[in-house]
Amino acid sequence: MSLPLVVLLPFLGAVAAPLFAQGGRTAIAVASSVPALIALAALFPHWETLADGGVVLHSYEWLPAMGLSFSFRLDGLSLLFALLILIIGLLIILYARYYLKAYENVGKFYALLLCFKGSMLGIVLSSNLLLMMIFWELTSLTSFLLISFWTHKQDARRGARMALAVTGGGGLALLAGILIIGNIVGSFELDDVLAAGDQIKAHAMYPVALTLVLLGAFTKSAQFPFHFWLPHAMQAPTPVSAYLHSATMVKAGIFLMARLYPALAGTEQWFYMVSFTGMATLLIGAYVAMFKHDLKGLLAHSTVSHLGLITLLFGMGTQLAAVAAVFHVINHAIFKASLFMAAGIIDHETGTRDMRRINGLWRYMPHTATLAMVAASSMAGVPLLNGFLSKEMFFAESLELNLPGLIAWLPPIVATLAGIFAVAYSARFIHDVFFNGKPVDLPIYPPHEPPRYMKIPVEILVFACIMVGLFPAVAVGPLLFLAASATLGGEVPEYTLAIFHGFNLPLFMSFVAFFGGLLMYSQRQRFFDFHARFREIDEKAVFENIVLRIVDLANSVTARLENGSLQRYALLLLVSVIAVAAMPLLDLGIFVGENGLSPVDAPTAIAAAVLILCAFATAGLHRQRFYALVLLSVVGLVVALAFARFSAPDLAMTQLSVEVVTIVLLMLAIYYMHPWTPVETPLKRRVRDIAIAGVAGIGMTLVTLAMLTQPFSSISEFFLANSKPGGGGTNVVNVILVDFRGFDTLGEITVLAIAALGIYAMLKDTALTPPPSDGAGHAWARDAHPLMLSLIARPMLPLALMVSAFIFLRGHNLPGGGFIAGLITSIALILQYIASGMEWTEDRIRLRYHNVIGLGLLFATVAGLGSFAFGYPFLTSTFDYITWPVVGKFEVASALIFDLGVYLAVIGATLLSLVTVGRLSPHSAIRPKQEGA
Amino acid sequence: MNHWLTAPVLIPLLGGILQAFMGYAPISLRRTLALATTFLMLVSAIVLLIMANDGSYRIYAFGNWQPPFGIVLVLDRLAALMLVMTAVLALFCHVFSIGGADEGNRQFHGLFLFQLMGLNIAFLTGDLFNLFVAFEVLLIASYGLLMHGGGTVRTVPGLHYVVLNLIGSAVFLISVGMIYSVTGTLNMADLAVKVPQISGEGLSIVKAGGMMLLVVFGLKAAILPLCFWLPRAYSKATAPVAALFAVMTKVGIYAILRVYLLIFGDDAGKLANLGMDWLFPIALATLAMGVIGALGSGTLKTLVAWQVIISVGTLLAPIALGSEAGLSAALFYLLSTTWTVGGLFLVSELVANQRGSAKDRIITAPKMQSRTFLSVLFLVGAVAAAGLPPLSGFFGKVLILQSAEAGTEMAWLWSVLLTGSFLTVIAYSRAGSIVFWRTVDGHLNKPDPLNGRVSVAAGALTALAIAMVVLAGPIMAYTDATAAQLHNADAYIEILQTPMVGEDS
Amino acid sequence: MELVFALVIGALTSSGVYLILRARTFPVVVGLTLLSYGVNLFLFSSGRLATGQQPIIGTAASYADPLPQALVLTAIVIGFAMTAFVVVLSLRNLADNEDDHVDGKQPYKSPAPEEEEEVTGK
């Protein structure tokens, strides 16, 4: 249980820490250090197990389907990193307490810092690669938030986004790599993966997997060509830089290489990719570091260079090199953290980090100076300090590589050259800052020593530098051994952690580096002049530019495609439909099924001709809107006739009544619209549209033809057979509507109702002014409601009501039913509105159509619910026969109540819609009533 | 027969009817009743989920008519999943809306409930034509909702949305006609029986019909090239409506799953896996288009709207590949992305309200009120949407990546999906850092502070991305079972044998 | 007979499609109506054409397929609701943009040059 605890505690702490923010910086700092202390205590007992060559494994099932388990693993390597993360983390917390100003958002800072620490611990302790992946990306996210802690600084924001893009992007590559490895091995558990090294390297996908994994590692560890994000991450508060860029974040990539060393290393590809990347990074970082005037900039580039050094060591692939790599991880973490802190102190006390301004600080802060100088010497690889030891090992290894021909000389030369640079920039760090004349107009003058406790972390780390430098075997021997053996998967080569290995080539290389470096520093002005010839590129600006370019590009692409033109979208839709239907229909061709064609009678032919003509005419004359409307209504009528002709009386009646209502609505509409449509689309587009329309028409014709001439049998036999006995009605269509498929009908009247409510809501606060005259320029007739019309209309209402009642009642047996009856009633009512105007009508017909609609839906639903009472499903109907005066023998089906609902809903919906439209115009005689709803 | 199946339909229906009567009732009363309705609907959905989890099919035959003759509702794991997903989303949107978005139009709650009714019918129905009716119900309601909120900005996008969907409905009817004209039936199970037996010219007709149906569903799901209406319509809609619409595209995806796995599935003889070979490249193209759109968006809402399209592509790619694992992965991602996108719409609205005239545009503006709360919500939403750890989106994407069989498809899927995520991360980090961090000094006339309802709704919906991680185990178990059930069409067909009430089986 | 019927449906479809592709709300609405006529006839005919066989029990020897009729009836009513809505929506568009172009007014114009003629012109 202790390992998951170690990882999760910091996250809990992150939640708790802000609560202490009220108590001041000390309180929160103390609170934040609790998780680390507990974690250290929790790790301590495991030392025994590891020392005996064992591993601690705490594993819990999580998502086996995914291969993701909640499992943690402690061995030498993870212990080493965990200790670095925890101990340096503690020092950072203490340091930050004095670095941050009281007014800053310390709660946020410590919370994020703890989240980051937890994620780092997760990476190094996870025993499941997917789990590690989660923590990996979490470090990208948390570091993004830490780097941009000062959100008001543009540089901070940009640096953070750049870091996120590079490391997060690399993370995605890593994810792909890990998934491939998981596929190969069949498990994401570290033990399985490490055991399956040969299997992985033999697999065809190995090159891909390796490349992807290395992409992840290199981006995280700022390897060339991805190194550029790291220096810009220096916009973060110094404690963050000291933590992320010495011991943790950038070491994650290194850790990954060490972790997967047994599984992936040892191949040609590994050697070339890793070692040459490392070499390039080592050299470039060291070279650039010399010319940085910014204190932290110098340290950042030196970090890049040291990371390259470690990478190169791993790339070499020899066991000793790996040991040296692990050793240098420790040393670099120690001296670089202390240097960053020192730089932070200087920044804190002088108000600047520009080395051209901070000089001769020795006189003002000798204590800090001493510490910084020791650490810097360690960075330069001065003997008797820890940096020297691992560097010596590195030089030795660089000679061991068996490369063909002259290339064999490349590593040692690069190593020495980098060494020279390192000494030079370290010398500059020491000499420029602490000696070299007087300070140049510092923002804070005179500078003085920082608060006592701010120096303690630095002192501890510097002390460690010396201890490791003098007594390596005692100080880090055991830990290093465990870590190395874990890295190499068991077997550890012979190596001695001695200060002096006798006079040999590596020692000579160190001398060359040391004196070469001093010489170079003494001649620095020349190098500066030389370097000044090249324009310095600001990667941040470049990155921003690229992003902006991408955004602009995306923008223009989107604007071209999503151009807000309905014509375009409709075209795309119609063309897609035609395209997908084309294939099968071409197979079909002109096909006449075995039923053949039946003869045509003259009336039908004439009607058809009329219909086709009117349809085309409507399209042709659509600019004269009124004529188009007239033609449209003719089409509608003929369609009704067609239904009647082909034995669908109900359809005919419905079509007819719907037609009337629709035309009335459209008439109302064009009253507000321009009487004609302007010509605006060019000929070529119209031709194109005609072509598309033609294709669509031909397609439909062919399908219909094929369809109509095919023999056919359907489930309708059942309806015909059961309509009377089961549904109690002889009009099968109506029985289907109210019984067999009553649920469709319920849905459909709901649609009507919603449409009406929607229309009402949409026009509630809209007003339209109709054009003063019709198309031909005649003004509208003065008298709103012609007398004749109203005289005829009024007596028609009761008549119409009787008719609709009749139609309604007979609906179950003969053509008719709720719909048609409802529509007839509506038409009659509309006629009243047209004839006598809103006010007159509304004074007499006191209906709130919302309620009519609601009532209709309610009747239909309740009729359906009734059957629940008898244990039958929704909409089950029952019926009985009674004899009525006029209608004669008549059967009352419970479906009749349902149909009544339909009737009401239709009336309510139709009238609500039309009346709302009629009210639109503020100038018409109708004043919109102030009713909401 | 189990009346529970009708609950998700009848509850919102009755609630909606109630709203229609209550035009003059005080707003507080209408709100309470409407919210209660949505809550009851959620309860019923959960009940159905528990029932469906036993892996059997339950049917409800309206009017007690034996399928294929009457209309049936069919409850299986997929339907239940969709119901719960929708109900949860709806509840939070509804809570958000009573924070003030529902004012100015008394029809809002009615339309909202009818919309839910339509959605639930679509998820439950086992009848092709009834699916059409369900689509019309949810569409007409969505038209009304889309126009809610007054002002002129919504009119044109609304018009486009309506016209395109009317064309879509026409095409739907044509396809139904084609299919009926050959098979002579409308019940999906019966169709699954009849389609494999088709021969001769009938094949061409049904094939054409099936493909046209795919286009219709594609329009609903907003796949390329039928997705361009969406960004403006969604980004202009009122926040709770836009958030609820996050489920609308998923209806199209549901319909594709239902129809093309059952009727045109592996056992469909000559018409097996109809159109799926088209679907995969289109899905990837849709994903790419969405990413491009997201990168180019000028407002948060547009960004989220394009995220809808991204998720559609991400969902359809594994579905098109047709593996059971892919299907399960897609379903997990479906759940995650729907809620996340909904949450992001709500958050964007809150941000817009806090930034004065800058609204949700991705530009520098004075520091907003309650920035910390909103930026955290946005961060969570963005991380989940971009598919970064540790939130649900990441798990969905990993599952999808894992589901791909090695081969060219895998290469395509992986590269598009991962590159897409990378660019999405850039888009979100850019938008977020500009909107929340890049502030200028300037006076904002103080916006009214976030009220409890909206904060809770937006927060809770976004937080589901975390909850899903905690519950990932059970959820994956469920989606796996669902995928398995979907791939076994024979079991579905057996519903035709279900005895009716009063019959002895 | 079948051919005539097929031609009718074809004519309705093509004139509908053409009008739907116009740039003003009125022709689009008319086009949608024409298209829906075509679609209704098509759906109706999916039960094949029958003369004098109205599906009313006891009125004929054999009956036309009643199911498509019921479907079309539903479709007609739904179509009516939809038409009504889109008509009103175009009126709303007219009111909001003082213009009945389907893409509203200037701010909605496409930036892409080749679209200019498609959207300009009042």
Side-chain angles (χ1 to χ4, degrees), chain A residues 483-500:
Chain A
S485 65
T487 310
L488 296 167
E491 72 278 17
V492 188
E494 272 308 312
Y495 66 89
T496 50
L497 291 174
I499 307 171
F500 183 67

Side-chain angles (χ1 to χ4, degrees), chain A residues 559-560 563-568 571 574 597-601 604 608 611-612 615-616 618-619 622 625 628 632 635-636 639 643 645-651 654-655 658-659 661-662 665-666 669-670 672-674 677-678 680-682 684-686 689-690 693 696-697 700-701 703-705 707-708 710-712 714-716 719-720 730-733 736-737 741 748 751-752 755 758-759 762-763 766-768 813 815 819 910 917 920, chain C residues 1-15 17-30 33-34 37-42 44-57 59 63-78 80-85 87-92 94-96 98-103 108-115 117-122:
Chain A
R560 271 180 164 282
N563 64 350
S565 153
L566 176 61
Q567 289 170 289
R568 162 80 67 86
L571 187 74
L574 291 164
L597 300 171
S598 48
V600 189
D601 55 292
T604 318
L611 197 159
I612 294 173
F616 285 138
T618 320
H622 74 91
R625 294 181 168 177
L632 181 69
V635 175
V639 170
F643 286 134
R645 165 71 181 76
F646 295 105
S647 29
D650 287 271
L651 284 186
T654 318
Q655 170 68 32
V658 165
E659 186 62 22
V661 182
T662 315
L665 184 67
L666 283 170
I670 56 169
Y672 299 106
M673 290 182 171
H674 303 288
T677 310
E680 44 196 349
T681 48
K684 68 172 175 36
R685 288 178 52 86
R686 265 176 283 158
D689 295 349
I690 290 173
M700 284 300 282
T701 314
V703 180
T704 319
L705 189 60
M707 181 172 90
L708 288 177
Q710 283 271 63
F712 174 65
S714 80
I715 55 175
S716 297
F719 300 126
L720 293 167
T730 53
N731 180 357
V732 184
V733 175
I736 292 177
L737 284 172
R741 295 184 68 89
E748 143 193 13
V751 171
L752 259 183
I759 287 173
M762 185 163 40
L763 290 187
T766 311
L768 261 176
N813 295 315
F819 280 123
T910 319
V917 177
L920 258 181
Chain C
M1 196 67 87
E2 285 74 11
L3 182 60
V4 174
F5 200 88
L7 287 171
V8 165
I9 290 177
L12 286 169
T13 315
S14 45
S15 39
V17 166
Y18 176 75
L19 286 179
I20 287 172
L21 290 171
R22 298 304 95 210
R24 298 279 162 172
T25 49
F26 178 78
V28 170
V29 171
V30 174
T33 321
L34 281 173
Y37 290 154
V39 171
N40 289 342
L41 283 176
F42 179 82
F44 167 68
S45 66
S46 69
R48 308 299 185 263
L49 300 181
T51 310
Q53 306 178 3
Q54 58 275 24
I56 293 165
I57 306 298
T59 59
Y63 304 104
D65 187 339
L67 183 52
Q69 297 194 14
L71 302 187
V72 172
L73 214 154
T74 312
I76 291 177
V77 178
I78 289 181
F80 165 64
M82 294 293 168
T83 316
F85 194 90
V87 167
V88 171
L89 187 47
S90 40
L91 286 177
R92 172 71 183 270
L94 184 61
D96 290 351
E98 291 94 35
D99 182 31
D100 64 347
H101 194 285
V102 286
D103 301 334
Y108 235 91
K109 293 295 180 270
S110 122
E114 86 277 8
E115 301 307 333
E117 67 276 69
E118 164 177 334
V119 280
T120 48
K122 290 278 140 311

